[in-house]
């Protein structure tokens, strides 16, 4: 009989033992081409490093897109997840588990609201989809979103996502959505009236290149919503869970939202998302109005509890704030002519460039053993694990001038 280990090993058809080139050749025929051909095949990770199929090591400054807050193979996540899956892996939402309830309590408390209830999902898109449905319970249908916003790719999440390239092939999209310029409270005030169900905002626009709104923008959005009875929906999928040096950026700025959506950093790579509703919104989705087979399953829930527990135990909010400042200061101190600034908070940072060489810098970085990305051509995004150290960040800073110069030369 085939051994337990061999069952999976045989299914992998020897791919793990092969070179990156061999795996990528098989990739094209087997996986849908929604991302273009990947640039590397990774087989192992530990702390802030990952290794590719050819044995090369990379410093991970992207964390699987702001996901692996505790880095790779974190022992606390490992023991929580393996312990839970060995005990009880899944029961569906016909039944409750202690882990799910404990995580809901922790997340609800983060909102700063007196009353909060959580709907668990498996991704950020689904968290926003749940929120979208919740807004319909107001009896209003209109939603205000912002230019540059990214909220996911399902039909509902896409309807509030701005990028015309993502939207156009799939129109008509659901809902009655109006986009206003991001960071402009007067533009918001001009459109929010008593027909508006909700205003959806990212506290910083991660996918748009870590765009930071002017101070007071979120507080002003809260006032505007209060004046018209609209719900304020904060999408903290990318910014939340410690990424920005605090649990939730809007709460850190003294704002209470009616709806908060979370995902990315919540499970350190284990798929989990959450739609949290507070106050009058907390009771809006009732029996039969929404559901999920997997959402909030106990394995994902303990991953979330492990992440929260380690961030607290190890002081990682303060550490992320300090490391983010160190990184920004060190990059600015280079005085490189291709860098015009560093924006963002904590360890969600956008390095703005004076030329559209971001993708070429990202390629040069990969060749030199660093994972970064360019969410737009003139911005590099850095979102390393929250456990990263100053000496690790300094290796990127030391390499950056060479990477920028290489990219600029290639593009000219
Ligand atoms: C990534 C992201 C999403 C979508 O999350 P998925 O887990 O990819 O579905 C939604 N909103 C924001 C702000 C994001 O950054």
């Amino acid at each position: 009989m085939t051994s337990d280990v061999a069952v999976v090993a045989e299914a992998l058809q020897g791919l793990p033992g092969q070179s990156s080139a061999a795996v990528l050749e098989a990739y094209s025929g087997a996986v849908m081409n929604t991302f273009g051909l990947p640039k590397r095949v990774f087989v192992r990770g530990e702390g802030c490093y990952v290794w590719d199929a050819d044995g090369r090591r990379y410093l991970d400054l992207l964390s699987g897109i702001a996901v692996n807050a505790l880095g790779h193979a974190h022992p606390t996540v490992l023991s929580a997840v393996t312990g839970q899956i060995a005990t009880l892996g899944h029961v569906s939402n016909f039944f409750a588990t202690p882990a799910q309830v404990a995580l809901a309590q922790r997340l609800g408390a983060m909102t700063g609201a007196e009353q909060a209830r959580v709907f668990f999902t498996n991704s950020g898109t689904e968290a926003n989809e749940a929120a979208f449905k919740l807004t319909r319970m107001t009896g209003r249908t209109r939603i205000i979103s912002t230019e540059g916003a990214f909220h996911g790719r399902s039909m509902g999440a896409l309807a509030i996502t701005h990028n015309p390239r993502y939207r156009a092939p799939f129109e008509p999209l659901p809902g009655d959505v109006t986009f206003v310029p991001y960071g402009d409270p007067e533009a918001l005030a001009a459109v929010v009236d008593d027909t508006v169900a909700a205003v959806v905002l990212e506290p910083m626009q991660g996918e748009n290149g870590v765009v930071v709104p002017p101070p007071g923008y979120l507080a002003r959005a809260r006032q505007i919503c209060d004046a018209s009875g609209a719900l304020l929906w904060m999408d903290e999928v990318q910014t939340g869970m410690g990424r920005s040096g605090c649990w939730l950026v809007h709460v850190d700025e003294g704002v209470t939202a009616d709806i908060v959506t979370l995902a990315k950093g919540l499970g350190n790579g284990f798929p989990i998302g959450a739609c949290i509703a507070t106050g009058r919104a907390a009771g809006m989705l009732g029996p039969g109005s929404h559901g999920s087979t997997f959402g909030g399953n106990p394995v994902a829930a303990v991953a979330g509890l492990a992440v929260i527990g380690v961030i607290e135990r190890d002081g990682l909010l303060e550490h992320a704030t300090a490391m983010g400042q160190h990184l920004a200061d060190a990059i600015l101190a280079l005085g490189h002519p291709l860098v015009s600034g560093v924006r963002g908070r904590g360890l969600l940072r956008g390095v703005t460039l004076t030329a559209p060489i971001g993708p070429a810098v990202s390629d040069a970085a990969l060749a030199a053993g660093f994972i970064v990305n360019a969410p737009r051509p003139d911005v590099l995004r850095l979102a390393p694990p929250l456990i990263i150290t100053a000496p690790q960040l300094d290796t990127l800073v030391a390499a950056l001038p060479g990477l920028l110069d290489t990219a600029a030369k290639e593009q000219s």
Side-chain angles (χ1 to χ4, degrees), residues 103-394:
L103 183 60
Q105 288 177 330
R106 297 303 311 264
L107 297 179
M110 280 177 196
T111 64
E114 261 172 41
Q115 191 197 13
R117 293 205 186 117
V118 180
F119 180 88
F120 284 112
T121 68
N122 313 290
S123 68
T125 296
E126 287 170 87
N128 283 329
E129 201 68 31
F132 197 130
K133 286 181 71 178
L134 192 154
T135 68
R136 289 288 170 98
M137 299 296 138
T138 60
R140 305 176 182 180
T141 56
R142 199 155 161 240
I143 293 181
I144 308 301
S145 183
T146 55
E147 292 169 9
F150 182 84
H151 299 292
R153 309 281 204 133
S154 65
M155 294 300 271
L158 193 55
I160 52 171
T161 291
H162 183 249
N163 193 331
R165 219 161 41 83
Y166 299 165
R167 299 170 59 88
F170 304 102
E171 285 171 343
L173 291 162
D176 174 9
V177 183
T178 304
F179 293 92
V180 296
Y182 183 71
D184 178 350
E186 294 328 307
L188 210 51
V191 296
V192 178
D193 58 23
D194 63 9
T195 68
V196 172
V199 172
V200 56
L201 294 174
E202 296 158 87
M204 295 188 277
Q205 289 185 328
E207 292 307 299
N208 196 30
V210 194
V211 176
V212 184
Y217 178 59
L218 303 181
R220 189 76 184 94
R222 175 74 273 175
Q223 290 170 346
I224 292 165
C225 287
D226 285 342
S228 69
L231 299 173
L232 179 62
W233 163 7
M234 297 299 318
D235 180 344
E236 295 247 17
V237 167
Q238 185 157 161
T239 50
M241 295 308 298
R243 171 57 49 198
S244 310
C246 52
W247 289 117
L248 298 170
V249 173
H250 69 280
V251 173
D252 197 58
E253 294 185 9
V255 172
T256 305
D258 302 292
I259 308 173
V260 183
T261 48
L262 290 173
K264 291 196 167 84
L266 180 51
N268 206 61
F270 211 91
I272 179 167
C275 170
I276 315 170
T278 72
R280 73 178 165 114
M284 281 187 181
L285 285 177
S289 58
H290 201 42
S292 170
T293 300
F294 296 126
N297 91 69
V299 185
V302 295
L305 290 170
V307 166
I308 294 168
V310 172
I311 288 175
E312 273 177 352
R313 183 194 70 191
D314 297 350
L316 294 179
L317 299 180
E318 298 76 10
H319 183 71
T321 300
M323 288 303 100
Q325 194 61 54
H326 173 82
L327 180 65
D329 291 346
I331 290 173
L332 289 175
L334 293 170
H336 197 282
L338 284 163
V339 174
S340 58
V342 181
R343 61 196 185 194
R345 275 188 63 154
L347 284 172
L348 181 57
R349 295 286 175 165
V351 181
T352 54
L353 307 172
T354 56
I357 57 167
V361 179
S362 168
D363 287 349
L366 206 52
F370 300 99
I371 302 175
V372 304
N373 106 305
R376 35 188 303 165
D378 57 351
V379 180
L380 285 182
R381 174 171 48 185
L382 301 173
L386 307 185
I387 59 170
I388 201 160
T389 63
Q392 287 172 327
L393 290 172
D394 291 344

Side-chain angles (χ1 to χ4, degrees), residues 40-103:
R40 291 292 186 279
V41 176
F42 289 118
V43 294
R44 186 165 72 83
E46 194 184 321
C48 296
Y49 294 100
V50 290
W51 283 262
D52 72 14
D54 308 317
R56 293 194 58 218
R57 189 184 80 162
Y58 300 78
L59 181 63
D60 186 357
L61 295 145
L62 188 60
S63 309
I65 318 184
V67 167
N68 302 305
L70 307 182
H72 299 270
H74 193 281
T76 311
V77 178
L78 180 66
S79 78
V81 165
T82 54
Q84 184 61 49
I85 206 163
T87 309
L88 182 68
H90 174 81
V91 291
S92 91
N93 286 299
F94 289 154
F95 308 99
T97 64
Q100 171 197 48
V101 177
L103 183 60

